[in-house]
Amino acid sequence: MLEKVESLMLAQVASLESARSVELFHKVPKGKRLRAKLILKIAGASADALKLASIVELIHAASLLHDDVIDDANTRRGQSSINAEFGDKTAIMLGDILYSKGFSELTLLPKEVAYSVSNAVALLSVGELLDVELSATFNDNKESYFDMIYKKTASLIEASAKSAALLVGKNSDIYALYGKNLGLAFQIIDDVLDITQSSEILGKPSLNDFKEGKTTLPYLYMYEKLSLHDQQILLSLFQKTLNENEEAWIKEKMNETNAINLSINDARRLGFEALEAIKDEEDVGLASIIKEMIERNF
Ligand code: FPP
Ligand code: MG
């Protein structure tokens, strides 16, 4: 079914009759299509569900095109990012094209679905702003981290699950809660993998978040548990390009403070809460999505 989503995404871009847009669209690295999978599991593969899945994936792809410009990222999923290969202007414009085409298609879906997804995109944008602003100085506040990842990542996953439920008349509140918790768990695992995996496996530089000023959940736990002396060392490494010894120090302290395990436990707890929300619903395979997202390596 995901192939149908891929071809719908392409058809939507092609309908703009811009050969250059289609050419560039083919260069955008394809992701896990988590949001599309989620929508099709909840709503089945009706024409509207496939359309919603393709719209949400177009919007998500657009947000990553912009995010790579904002983060000055050279790679995405093991490939050159569009900004690295074609420049920031092209990446921003292609993002605008995918995003606005997604929006125009969204207006053809039921009003509540269109509202839920478009409102999530506004939250996504606020989340990105929070992420950038929180990265300017060392953030030691877990609440700000959770608020930011809810907006930046979980909001669109929440809206995907909610809209899919709305399309088929299921209880949208409980699917929204499932999606929100899945989204939070997903981002925590992303933040853990930045520390535990190699660049080759990730398809982007590893240990990059801290260099970018992002004090993600493992760093928050670690900071909380470090001695005053070690806290000062950690602060001295903030936003720095790390040498081998400094990388090794961070990994060792992550181990000593149990920060990685504590973060993974939070993700598992959120995964459990996601499943609790839909426990009385018909089993359409949403547990396997949680497992796939939490027990992943990249
Ligand atoms: C990736 O975060 C970024 C997001 C999930 C959201 C980005 C949102 C925007 C740029 C605003 C919305 C814009 C449009 C056009 C809809 P990350 O940098 O932590 O993850 P990464 O390591 O995968 O880059
Ligand atoms: Mg980024």
Side-chain angles (χ1 to χ4, degrees), residues 5-16 25 101 105:
V5 175
E6 298 296 339
S7 54
L8 263 177
M9 289 170 76
L10 178 60
Q12 280 160 7
V13 178
S15 74
L16 296 169
F25 177 66
K101 183 58 193 165
E105 292 293 324

Side-chain angles (χ1 to χ4, degrees), residues 157-228:
I157 300 178
E158 175 183 45
S160 301
K162 178 176 177 171
S163 319
L166 284 169
L167 278 184
V168 288
K170 290 184 176 174
N171 179 335
S172 61
D173 288 344
I174 61 177
Y175 285 92
L177 186 56
Y178 167 92
K180 177 182 176 177
N181 285 326
L182 167 65
L184 293 170
F186 178 80
Q187 187 59 49
I188 292 172
I189 295 298
D190 231 46
D191 294 343
V192 163
L193 294 175
D194 172 84
I195 299 158
T196 57
Q197 297 297 334
S198 66
S199 308
E200 293 70 42
I201 292 184
L202 289 176
K204 60 184 180 186
S206 67
L207 276 182
N208 197 45
D209 285 344
F210 203 52
K211 186 182 146 222
E212 285 185 349
K214 300 183 183 187
T215 318
T216 57
L217 190 59
Y219 289 95
L220 289 164
Y221 274 127
M222 175 177 162
Y223 185 72
E224 218 171 66
K225 296 195 180 320
L226 286 177
S227 65
L228 273 179

Side-chain angles (χ1 to χ4, degrees), residues 31-216:
K32 304 176 194 67
R33 305 295 191 218
L34 160 68
R35 294 152 188 82
K37 279 188 201 163
L38 188 57
I39 290 167
L40 299 182
K41 286 219 160 151
I42 297 172
S46 67
D48 272 0
L50 286 162
K51 189 165 203 159
L52 174 64
S54 66
I55 291 169
V56 169
E57 290 294 346
L58 280 179
I59 294 172
H60 176 57
S63 77
L64 295 183
L65 284 166
H66 286 190
D67 177 68
D68 282 344
V69 172
I70 294 163
D71 287 346
D72 215 358
N74 291 321
T75 49
R76 164 83 47 199
R77 299 174 182 126
Q79 285 173 238
S80 263
S81 57
I82 297 290
N83 50 307
E85 205 171 331
F86 302 96
D88 286 355
K89 288 186 184 176
T90 302
I92 291 172
M93 292 182 295
L94 182 61
D96 289 341
I97 291 165
L98 303 188
Y99 159 76
S100 43
K101 183 58 193 165
F103 259 58
S104 71
E105 292 293 324
L106 189 58
T107 62
L108 303 173
L109 290 179
K111 207 170 163 185
E112 299 151 285
V113 168
Y115 180 78
S116 167
V117 173
S118 56
N119 189 53
V121 181
L123 285 182
L124 203 71
S125 308
V126 170
E128 184 78 350
L129 179 65
L130 284 172
D131 194 16
V132 169
E133 299 206 329
L134 278 178
S135 306
T137 52
F138 186 92
N139 169 48
D140 62 359
N141 184 328
K142 268 203 212 103
E143 226 173 277
S144 314
Y145 167 82
F146 274 102
D147 178 49
M148 182 275 287
I149 68 165
Y150 165 61
K151 288 173 179 143
K152 180 181 78 166
T153 305
S155 62
L156 188 58
I157 300 178
E158 175 183 45
S160 301
K162 178 176 177 171
S163 319
L166 284 169
L167 278 184
V168 288
K170 290 184 176 174
N171 179 335
S172 61
D173 288 344
I174 61 177
Y175 285 92
L177 186 56
Y178 167 92
K180 177 182 176 177
N181 285 326
L182 167 65
L184 293 170
F186 178 80
Q187 187 59 49
I188 292 172
I189 295 298
D190 231 46
D191 294 343
V192 163
L193 294 175
D194 172 84
I195 299 158
T196 57
Q197 297 297 334
S198 66
S199 308
E200 293 70 42
I201 292 184
L202 289 176
K204 60 184 180 186
S206 67
L207 276 182
N208 197 45
D209 285 344
F210 203 52
K211 186 182 146 222
E212 285 185 349
K214 300 183 183 187
T215 318
T216 57

